[in-house]
Amino acid sequence: MKKLIAVIMLVLMVVSLAACSADNSPNTPSAIGNKDRAEKFEEDVNKVEEKSGKGILANDATLGNVLTGTAVVRVLEFSGDDKPEMYVAYSDGTKPYANKQQIYGFDNGPYEFFSERKGNLELSEITSKSSADAKAPCIWIYTDESGISYLVIGEDLSKEAHYYSYVTVNPDGTKVYNIVEKFTGLNGKVYEGTYEKIELAGITQDEANAIFAKNEEALKLIEAGKN
């Protein structure tokens, strides 16, 4: 069950991932649905690529193979309004791997999701790790049965995680957050839906190729939306 609640603070839901599904196929909207939206997404991702370069698998002396450049591009439904958003993970040059992330929403006003803070967590910086001893951060995207996606964030995702939804802004400036009630109090239970889990270091070329192939799928969806 989902509902929209006007609030000031970013929604934070803490749950255990001890028994989570590990499916790597989050749902993708079948169409961009709006020519202007598609053109804006293309403009946004091109700006990132101009600064960070194309996504590649590079080698770091300490971490081994790392994803860098414009490493991840996904078109997903974060806001619950049947209008897709675009997720991008990229490098800003300060780390050997892709260390920044952003959700771009054409329909919902300013891109506020990853410019806000929750406590000491800077959400634009990719810091989540799949385990406490992981050498580098990772990206987890959860998509529920209805097709709504969430960024899964935490210091040690093998123990607990925070599910963040996309922040939308009404014309009057009121912030609205998409909340999934079933997350509350379900520690240790398997959630219906899928996870895409992307390690940013220590991956193989085949694993990187699979990630880049999904990037191409997203870019083709955007290109098709322009027609």
Side-chain angles (χ1 to χ4, degrees):
M1 181 183 296
K2 299 180 289 294
K3 61 181 179 178
L4 293 179
I5 298 180
V7 291
I8 301 301
M9 299 178 64
L10 187 67
V11 172
L12 173 64
M13 289 165 282
V14 181
V15 294
S16 170
L17 289 186
C20 280
S21 164
D23 192 307
N24 283 330
S25 303
N27 296 331
T28 299
S30 59
I32 297 296
N34 181 292
K35 180 180 179 181
D36 292 337
R37 185 185 301 121
E39 289 178 346
K40 189 64 171 67
F41 284 175
E42 182 182 64
E43 177 186 338
D44 290 330
V45 75
N46 285 344
K47 286 180 179 178
V48 175
E49 288 189 349
E50 286 174 6
K51 292 182 178 180
S52 302
K54 295 278 188 180
I56 62 170
L57 184 66
N59 186 267
D60 179 76
T62 301
L63 299 175
N65 288 340
V66 294
L67 286 174
T68 187
T70 308
V72 180
V73 181
R74 299 289 182 269
V75 174
L76 297 166
E77 169 61 277
F78 285 94
S79 55
D81 58 2
D82 294 323
K83 299 172 182 177
E85 286 79 41
M86 180 176 68
Y87 171 86
V88 180
Y90 61 96
S91 307
D92 70 355
T94 63
K95 303 287 185 182
Y97 49 80
N99 63 306
K100 293 289 185 180
Q101 58 187 351
Q102 174 75 55
I103 288 178
Y104 296 89
F106 174 76
D107 302 273
N108 297 315
Y111 304 155
E112 296 199 24
F113 183 36
F114 287 121
S115 62
E116 296 191 21
R117 286 179 177 270
K118 180 65 180 179
N120 294 322
L121 182 65
E122 176 57 61
L123 296 178
S124 64
E125 188 78 17
I126 302 174
T127 59
S128 301
K129 291 188 174 183
S130 55
S131 63
D133 59 353
K135 293 182 179 180
C138 64
I139 298 165
W140 282 21
I141 300 172
Y142 169 74
T143 303
D144 70 17
E145 288 181 297
S146 68
I148 307 302
S149 295
Y150 297 80
L151 265 294
V152 188
I153 295 173
E155 292 183 3
D156 181 353
L157 293 174
S158 67
K159 294 182 178 179
E160 67 176 17
H162 313 292
Y163 286 73
Y164 287 93
S165 62
Y166 177 74
V167 178
T168 66
V169 182
N170 286 335
D172 64 359
T174 305
K175 293 181 182 180
V176 178
Y177 302 81
N178 188 273
I179 300 175
V180 177
E181 290 184 310
K182 66 181 179 181
F183 280 4
T184 304
L186 293 183
N187 292 343
K189 294 185 179 181
V190 175
Y191 301 117
E192 297 296 330
T194 58
Y195 289 81
E196 181 174 18
K197 302 176 181 181
I198 300 172
E199 293 292 342
L200 296 173
I203 68 172
T204 67
Q205 184 66 61
D206 286 344
E207 290 169 331
N209 289 344
I211 293 166
F212 297 149
K214 288 187 177 182
N215 292 353
E216 288 302 315
E217 290 176 9
L219 294 173
K220 287 179 181 178
L221 192 65
I222 293 169
E223 180 64 29
K226 294 163 50 184
N227 301 320

